[in-house]
Amino acid sequence: MPPQNIHVIVRIRPLNAQEKKSKKIKRAIKVVRTGVDDRDLDLSPNRVPGAGGLVQVELPNDVRLPTVNSTKKSNGKIDKTYKQYHPAVAFPPSSTQQEVFHSSNLPSLINHSMNGYRTTFFAYGQTGAGKTFTVLGEDKKPGLLFRAVNYLFKSTKLKSENEKMKFTIRLSAIELYNEQCFDLLTTGHARMKPLQVREHNKQGYYVDRLTGIRCINVNQCIHTIKGAVRQRTVGGHQMNARSSRSHLMITLYVDGTYLASTGASTFGRITIVDLAGSERLKDTRSGNVKESGFINKSLYTLGKVINGIAKNGGTLLPGTTRRHNQNIPFRESVLTKLLVQSLGGENMCAMCACVSPGNHVTGETVRTLGFAMMVKGIMNHPSIHIDEQEKLVTDLKKEIEKLKRENIQLKHMVIEVSQEASLASTKSGAQNHLGLVSEIDHLVGGTGTKVLQNGGDGDDDGEEYFQFDDDFEEEEEENNISYDDEYDEEEGEEEKINFPTISSRYNEPSPSPSPPISPISSAPSSPHSPSLFPTAPSPMKSNIDTSQRVVQLKAMLTEAKMQFQSDGNEIHPHILQLENELEDLQKELQLSAQLAGLGVSLEDSGEDPDGKQQRALEAMIAATMSTAAGDGDGDGDIDGDGESDGESDEEEKYSEQQYYSEGSGSIPSSPITPNPNNNSNVSNTSGRSNPFNWDESQGEGENWRNMWENSLRILADVDEGDAAAKLKQLELLERGGVNLFGDSKKKTTTKKTKTKKKNRRK
Ligand SMILES: Nc1ncnc2c1ncn2[C@@H]1O[C@H](COP(=O)(O)OP(=O)(O)OP(=O)(O)O)[C@@H](O)[C@H]1O
């Protein structure tokens, strides 16, 4: 809140009966302009009434003041001399209590006290000028204090409803008598015991051990105040039958707590002061000189403080008043100690200068009004009072809640990042894909699962993982050796050794056995004739299930591989190998599906007593596999060892017997780049062309179809009726739009294929 001047109003009491009777006493003061307008009837919270009052005091002829106005007689001589004053509002003698309350800024002060400001309203003036009447009033004319109490309770009720606040109002009442502070809310011995006025480094001066009574409602509060006022020291003298012999200070502590939002508490106050009146002993003829002396002393000190503050530029200097305001004698009186924050300090303040109307006290009236104008020039710096510790606690609670929320979010982020890091890291990534690798290994008949079980200890550390890699390489070699050993034992049965690894998968129980999709032939396998595709309850279903799983695994593997790569990790050779093996497996499954779809099953081998049909199929499959896994350079050197991979004695034997002309001896190494040696049509026993003669001018699928047609024609030569039927079936399927020979992709040489070739060579 910006600095603001002390709000000064002037009230002129009416002439009392005695004064009216006196022929010597005349009205010497009048209100030229009240400063009250229609807006002053509006008690809006922050309305500060007073458009600027004007009071004019007629001075006695013997009084000469610096700035006066005068009227002159017709002869040019001065008739009357006036002194004018400009309070915020001037109240003539006819003003009612209610008008004064409404047009004072007391409602505004009360509103500010509910917001946490400390405010002071004090009545100042000569004894008998109407201070007590203005503050306390009479039974039927309650003064501003009781109106303020009424207004405070109504306002807190309204504010608590509108702003979800809870207010607590407490009351204290003291009198400063003979420079001592007495608690008016106590009785007996306590009432007579003066209280200490102490100084707090932040709160300023305060009355120690002062009683505070909580006020529940207006009536209780007013009743309490009246009880306190009854204990005030009063005495009669010449100028006032019930003259206040002490300064009365009634304070209403307005503690507000915001129930919603911040929960902060405000600690406002409204202190209403009825000062004892300045008096001249010769006028009052008071018998208690000491009492009058203290009154005058405190008022005199108040005057000096006001004067000192005015010299200070109208305000207290910042910082501690003790050190920085040495020229302001506020410590010389208890009154000024307790009022100092209202006079140029942090409190909001208003003053009502009460004056008597008669010309017999013009001197005191001029002095009061002069004092009022000096007070009017004092600038206060109102500051709101919120419990700093409580506000700090509230702010910290909010901060803690905010941090808790952030912490939860961060924890989630950490978990996510950890999971990503775990997946991306070579160690954890591999272990996350352990199941995947294991399944692929198992599917392709490899040993990955076993290796993982042997090499991985389940600990989540990279060292174990790399240990696992080393183990795997060793195991892989052992398995290769194992294959070789197995092959050696079954010498000459190359395909029989290699293919069972594949066909064994068909022995796995199908999760949901179902009839073959299009079984053309499902004859039981012959125990006397080794089959490439041993009997399975539902080979087609198993085949399809496996194919789907292979596709899924391949996608998962590709994803894992991309994850590794995107995170900058080196792709482990095992992953690459598994990827190649999956592709091999896909090709093999495709072939088996095509065979099954065509009804070309080795279950028919029972009708092939000499084994020609079977050997023809096996040779075709082997050729197809070799083609699919070709090295791509057309030289037949699939494993890159510089030798033609078609030089196996067994393969040459098959070629010579079944398909190829003498001396060719080579299986087409690549469907894309045909072996020039095999590019010409090669006669077989039926005089048909080489079935593996790949024609680049045709599509890949067309080449495959031709190859199969040729194969079936060869078979038809062996068993014309059955093979011819199968060929017709093929044609029907093709004609029906069934694409049995989708595009095949060029393959890279795989380690497993190389192993097969090595085995073949052996
Ligand atoms: N505005 C007023 N209207 C009617 N009567 C008033 C008014 N002001 C004061 N009086 C009467 O004048 C008398 C003196 O008033 P009051 O006691 O309030 O003076 P005071 O300034 O408090 O004097 P003191 O300093 O001695 O206590 C009282 O009888 C009071 O009723």
Side-chain angles (χ1 to χ4, degrees), residues 296-514:
N296 285 337
K297 176 181 181 287
S298 61
L299 293 175
Y300 176 66
T301 304
L302 178 62
K304 287 201 295 182
V305 168
I306 296 294
N307 191 46
I309 294 172
K311 289 181 179 176
N312 247 4
T315 186
L316 290 173
L317 294 176
T320 61
T321 54
R322 184 189 296 274
R323 182 177 300 174
H324 296 91
N325 298 285
Q326 296 291 338
N327 61 328
I328 302 172
F330 53 88
R331 291 181 300 278
E332 293 181 6
S333 170
V334 177
L335 174 67
T336 49
K337 283 180 181 179
L338 296 177
L339 285 181
V340 67
Q341 285 301 323
S342 301
L343 306 171
E346 295 182 346
N347 296 358
M348 301 175 76
C349 186
M351 167 188 161
C352 178
C354 297
V355 292
S356 299
N359 60 354
H360 63 294
V361 289
T362 300
E364 283 295 316
T365 299
V366 167
R367 195 185 62 79
T368 298
L369 292 175
F371 177 83
M373 293 302 103
M374 194 161 54
V375 169
K376 185 182 132 182
I378 292 177
M379 185 81 71
N380 283 345
H381 303 268
S383 66
I384 196 167
H385 288 260
I386 298 178
D387 190 310
E388 292 184 1
Q389 284 191 339
E390 191 167 343
K391 185 174 185 298
L392 180 63
V393 169
T394 303
D395 291 344
L396 285 175
K397 282 181 180 176
K398 288 165 64 180
E399 186 68 16
I400 287 171
E401 288 302 316
K402 181 186 169 191
L403 289 174
K404 278 182 178 178
R405 288 194 298 272
E406 289 180 357
N407 193 32
I408 291 172
Q409 292 175 345
L410 285 173
K411 278 183 177 177
H412 288 161
M413 288 175 63
V414 166
I415 290 171
E416 289 176 8
V417 170
S418 299
Q419 288 174 342
E420 289 177 7
S422 174
L423 190 67
S425 70
T426 306
K427 169 192 68 173
S428 301
Q431 294 198 343
N432 277 334
H433 294 289
L434 187 145
L436 171 65
V437 171
S438 174
E439 184 173 0
I440 294 170
D441 264 316
H442 179 66
L443 203 63
V444 300
T447 55
T449 303
K450 179 184 175 184
V451 170
L452 288 168
Q453 288 171 346
N454 291 341
D457 61 356
D459 291 345
D460 198 20
D461 57 77
E463 186 180 353
E464 294 297 334
Y465 171 74
F466 288 111
Q467 181 64 40
F468 145 72
D469 286 345
D470 295 336
D471 289 346
F472 173 74
E473 294 295 340
E474 294 173 6
E475 292 282 347
E476 185 183 40
E477 290 302 319
E478 289 176 7
N479 277 290
N480 287 338
I481 293 169
S482 175
Y483 273 121
D484 291 343
D485 292 343
E486 191 176 0
Y487 172 75
D488 290 340
E489 290 174 6
E490 298 184 31
E491 190 174 354
E493 299 294 325
E494 179 185 350
E495 286 77 11
K496 291 177 185 175
I497 300 300
N498 288 320
F499 278 103
T501 306
I502 302 170
S503 61
S504 64
R505 293 187 291 275
Y506 291 87
N507 290 324
E508 294 173 4
S510 173
S512 55
S514 57

Side-chain angles (χ1 to χ4, degrees), residues 1 6 51-52 60 102 126 149 185 228 275 286 468 577 595 703 718:
M1 178 174 287
I6 294 177
H102 282 179
Q126 185 190 16
V149 169
L185 293 180
L275 294 176
S286 172
F468 145 72
Q577 183 186 358
L595 280 170
N703 272 309
V718 179

Side-chain angles (χ1 to χ4, degrees), residues 11-16 92-97 100 123-138 141 232 234-235 237 239-246 274-279 295 354-356:
R11 185 179 193 184
I12 304 171
R13 71 161 174 82
L15 290 171
N16 58 37
S94 58
S95 300
T96 66
Q97 299 280 57
V100 174
Y124 178 90
Q126 185 190 16
T127 182
K131 301 180 295 295
T132 303
F133 181 85
T134 299
V135 172
L136 300 177
E138 298 172 349
K141 297 177 182 176
R232 185 184 185 188
V234 231
H237 57 69
M239 297 185 69
N240 189 352
R242 283 189 59 82
S243 177
S244 303
R245 313 311 296 162
S246 65
D274 176 21
L275 294 176
S278 59
E279 58 195 40
I295 293 172
C354 297
V355 292
S356 299

